Amino acid sequence: MAIIYHESSKIFHLYNDTVSYIMMVMKNGHLGQLYCGKKIHDKEDFTYLLEKAGRSMTSYLYEGDRTFSLEHTRQEFPVYGTTDYRQPAVEVLQENGSRISDFQYVSHCIRAGKPKLEGLPATYTETDSEAQTVVITLQDVVTGMRAELSYSIFEEGGVIARNVRLVNNGTASVHLTQAMSLCLDLPDCDYEWLQFSGCWARERHIRHRRLVQGTQAVGSMRGNSSHEHNPFMVLKRPTADERQGEVLGFSFVYSGNFLIQAEVDAHDVTRVLVGIHPSCFDWKLESGASFQTPEAVLVYSDQGLNGMSQTFHRLYQKRLARGCWRDRERPILLNNWEATYFDFDEEQLIGIAARAKECGVELFVLDDGWFGERRSDRAGLGDWTANPRLLPGGITGLAERMEEMGLQFGLWFEPEMVNKDSDFYRRHSDWILATPGRSQSHGRYQHVLDFSRKEVVDEIYRMMSGILREAKVSYVKWDMNRSITECYSAALPADRQGEVFHRYILGVYDLYERLTAEFPRVLFESCASGGGRFDPGMLYYAPQGWTSDDSDAVERLKIQYGTSFCYPLSSIGSHVSASPNHQLLRRTPLHTRANVAYFGTFGYELDLNALTGAEITQVKEQICFMKKYRRLLQFGTFYRLQSPFEGNETAWMTVSEDRKTAIVGWYRVLNHVNGNFARVRLAGLRPDYRYRSVSDGRICYGDELMYLGLITSDDTASETGMDVKSCGDFESRIYVLESVE
Ligand code: GLA
C-alpha cells in the first residue's frame, strides 16, 4: 500500500495490491481523475490519461484555447457553471447570490493511518500500518473557502474511504447547498447499476439496470436512510457475476438523508456522486466555521460481487463496528414482541423466559410496552420509567429475576420519539420537530423529538443512562419507527433551518456515542421498524441491526440475500418466528425458519410455550447447532451461490478462515413434481482438501464440490414423493462440510 505524489507531473497515485486510484492537479489547479481500477504499476507520469477534446457548443476555460473544458474532463471535486454543466460535488451560495466557485490546489499532506471524523461514524484503523491517508487542500480565492479532500487507502482489499471538510476562511458567511462526500468520474458507462430498494417488511431487494445516458439515483429525504433505498450502490461490468469480473461498490456511512447517483453524459462518461441529499440541505458557514461531510467508502473488486461483498464484510465487521461485541459471538436471544405484543405482565414474561432458558436461549429481550402508560402505540413514548402495574419490581427487579434464571436481559427503547399522550410531551411540547403554523403529521401516533437540540439529547440520555446504570441490562434494542415530516427546529434561526436534518442525525450519533462509551459491555441492536435504518452509520455504534419486521423465512431469503451485498452476517438480525407467520400468514416448517435465521445473529421471536413437545426438542437441537457453529456462521467468509431473485431456489454458504469447515444453506420455495436433478456449485473451499458431509458421510474433494457441485436433488426427482416427509414447499437443508485432512 502506498500513496505517492509525483512532483514533476503533479500526480497522486494511491495503490495497494488490489486497486489503483490516480489523480492529478490540472492546469487550472483543479483535481482531475485519471484512473480508478485494478492495480497498475506506478510511474512518474500518467498525464496522457487526461484526454481532451475540442467540440462544438462547448465552453472553454482559457482564451484562445479550444481544448480545456471541464465539461469533458473527469474530476474529483467539480463545481457547476464554469464550463461543466453536470451535477457538482459542491455548491457554495455566496452573499452576492452567486454560486460559482473555483477550488484550486494549495497543498497536500500524506500520513500513516486514518484520522477520526469528529462526531461522525467512520471506518478506522487500529495501527498506522493498516492505511494511509492523503488530505488535499483546495481553495477558492474569491470566497476564501477551503476544501480538504481526504482519501484513505487500506492495506487490505480494494478500499478507498473519502470525506471532505469545508472551511470558511473568508470574511463573509456562505451557505453550503451541496457538499458531497465522493465524486468519481469514470471514462465509460459500460456498467450495470444495482440498488437495494423496497419498503417496510420488504427491504433491500435487488434492482438492476444498465446505465444509460441521463441521471439515475437512489436517495432518502425521510430523515432516516430508509426502507425504500439503502445508502449503497454497485456498478458492475455486464459480464461480471458473483464469482468473477469487475465491480465497484459505493457505500455511505450515514443514517440520514442521502443521495447516490450516476449521471452519464452525452459521451458516456459516468459521474458518481455520494453524499448528503442536497434537497433540504443548506448549511450556513460563518467566517472561520467548518463543515465535515460523512464518509463514503468505495470498494473495487475484480473478484465479482462476492469479492466486493467480502471486502465490505471484513472492513465493516472489523474496522467500522466497534467495542467488545465486535468480534464476539452474539447471544441467542428471545424477543417477546411477536410473542405478546403489548399484552403482558411480569409473570407472563418470566414464563416465556423460563421455557427459553430451558431450550438454551441466552438473552431475554423485553420489547415495546414496558414503560409509562404504554398499552398500545397511542401513548407513553418518551416516559422511560417502568410501568409498576406490569413490572412491580421495575426493570431492576425484572433484570434480577432474569439473572437468577441464568439469562441475560435486554430492553427496547425508542429514544427519538414521543407520543403526544405522554408525560414527557406534556412537559416539553415544544421539543418536537414541527413547523410553526403547519400541520403536525404523525406516524404511528408519534412525533419526532428535536435531536438537533442538545438539551433534548441530554434529557433522553439522563433517562436512558439512569436505567442502564441501575438495572443489569446487557442489550439494548434502539428503535425508530417513523420518518420526519414538517422538519423545523424551534431552536434555530430561519437561515439555519436547512441544517436540521443533518443536526438531527448528529444528535442521534451523539446519544449513541455517550451511551456506548458509558456502557461498553452493552450490546446495541439498531432497528427502525425493522430495516429502515440499516446502514453503515448505525453499524459504527450498534454492531447488529434488526434486518426487517418481516420474519417470514421465505421473505427473509430475499431480504437477507440483498442485505449481504454490503453488510456482514454478524450484523444481520434474524429470528425464528411463529407459523403461521404474523406478517403474511404463511406456514413454513420450523427447520426452514431456523435454516434461514442461522445466517445472522439468530434468536426466537415467539412464545416457546406455544410449541409442541416435538417442536421444543427441535428448538433445543437448533440452539445446540447454532452454539456449535456460531463463529463460522457469523464471522466466516460468506458466499452467495444462488439468488432468490432469479429462481425458486436459493443457496449460500460460509467458510471458516482455515477453509476446513463450511456450512451451506439450501432453500427451495415451491416444490416440483417429478423435478430436475439439481446441483449447487460451491465456492471458497480448498480444491485439494477432502470434505465429509456431516449429514450423509459422503467425502468429496473441494474441487468436486466447487466445479461439479453439491447434489441437491431429492426424492421428488422421481415419480413418488408421497412417502417422503420433508419434501414439501418451503423445504431447506443445511450441509455441514468438514475437512478430513
Ligand atoms: C418496530 C420494530 C419491532 C418492534 C416494534 C415495537 O416495529 O421493528 O421489532 O420492536 O417496533 O413497537
Side-chain angles (χ1 to χ4, degrees), residues 398-644:
L398 180 61
E400 264 164 27
R401 288 184 74 181
M402 293 289 170
E403 193 185 34
E404 279 159 22
M405 292 163 69
L407 282 167
Q408 298 162 48
F409 178 67
L411 198 56
W412 181 95
F413 287 95
E414 195 174 355
E416 302 153 66
M417 303 287 162
V418 281
N419 287 119
K420 285 198 170 174
D421 185 0
S422 68
D423 290 342
F424 188 99
Y425 181 79
R426 284 184 277 274
R427 276 199 309 277
H428 299 295
S429 58
D430 57 338
W431 277 12
I432 62 170
L433 291 170
T435 305
R438 301 289 174 191
S439 62
Q440 296 181 352
S441 312
H442 73 94
R444 209 192 187 201
Y445 311 105
Q446 63 194 51
H447 295 264
V448 186
L449 285 171
D450 183 355
F451 262 46
S452 74
R453 293 167 70 168
K454 184 163 179 307
E455 66 272 31
V456 177
V457 176
D458 285 348
E459 178 59 9
I460 299 294
Y461 169 73
R462 193 188 60 75
M463 290 193 281
M464 288 179 77
S465 61
I467 293 175
L468 298 182
R469 244 173 257 139
E470 243 176 55
K472 289 185 173 141
V473 176
S474 58
Y475 162 107
V476 166
K477 177 173 171 186
W478 178 320
D479 211 338
M480 194 274 186
N481 279 311
R482 65 156 294 190
S483 299
I484 295 172
T485 51
E486 292 95 18
C487 183
Y488 187 96
S489 172
L492 287 171
D495 62 352
R496 289 198 178 271
Q497 291 301 325
E499 302 176 14
V500 181
F501 273 116
H502 182 58
R503 286 188 186 275
Y504 175 89
I505 283 294
L506 293 180
V508 172
Y509 290 155
D510 176 33
L511 183 59
Y512 252 120
E513 187 64 46
R514 287 197 236 174
L515 291 171
T516 50
E518 186 174 345
F519 305 102
R521 312 216 78 77
V522 172
L523 170 60
F524 282 80
E525 174 152 351
S526 72
C527 176
S529 284
R533 210 163 57 182
F534 201 105
D535 58 58
M538 285 290 119
L539 212 49
Y540 182 71
Y541 304 96
Q544 59 190 59
W546 184 226
T547 317
S548 176
D549 270 349
D550 196 334
S551 59
D552 171 72
V554 176
E555 294 298 300
R556 276 297 187 119
L557 290 174
K558 286 185 175 159
I559 295 168
Q560 291 177 206
Y561 197 91
T563 303
S564 80
F565 275 76
C566 186
Y567 306 98
L569 293 197
S570 57
S571 71
I572 296 181
S574 49
H575 302 166
V576 173
S577 62
S579 180
N581 170 268
H582 290 195
Q583 288 77 46
L584 38 64
L585 304 178
R586 183 180 281 138
R587 289 174 196 275
T588 53
L590 182 53
H591 68 268
T592 288
R593 281 174 271 152
N595 288 349
V596 176
Y598 289 144
F599 291 82
T601 59
F602 199 71
Y604 291 83
E605 189 91 11
L606 77 175
D607 183 355
L608 293 168
N609 289 312
L611 301 191
T612 64
E615 285 172 327
I616 286 293
T617 307
Q618 229 183 311
V619 166
K620 287 180 180 166
E621 285 165 9
Q622 291 170 353
I623 292 176
C624 279
F625 175 83
M626 189 63 195
K627 285 180 179 167
K628 181 165 181 199
Y629 292 109
R630 157 161 63 176
R631 175 143 297 276
L632 170 55
L633 287 161
Q634 293 172 347
F635 296 92
T637 306
F638 182 70
Y639 291 85
R640 290 176 301 271
L641 303 172
Q642 245 176 304
S643 169

Side-chain angles (χ1 to χ4, degrees), residues 77 89 114-123 148-151 160-166 176 178-183 231 251-259 274-277 281 283 291-298 316 320 501-503 505-506 509 535-538 541:
F77 196 61
K114 182 171 188 290
K116 211 169 143 48
L117 284 195
E118 224 34 68
L120 282 165
T123 56
E148 295 166 8
L149 275 50
S150 172
Y151 300 77
I160 292 172
R162 294 179 55 171
N163 71 76
V164 180
R165 184 165 169 264
L166 290 140
L176 283 176
Q178 176 144 347
M180 304 309 276
S181 301
L182 173 152
C183 170
S251 168
F252 192 35
V253 187
Y254 191 59
S255 311
N257 289 353
F258 75 92
L259 177 71
V274 178
I276 293 178
H277 204 303
F281 175 78
W283 195 277
F291 179 81
Q292 174 64 60
T293 74
E295 172 168 287
V297 176
L298 166 69
Y316 283 1
L320 177 62
F501 273 116
H502 182 58
R503 286 188 186 275
I505 283 294
L506 293 180
Y509 290 155
D535 58 58
M538 285 290 119
Y541 304 96

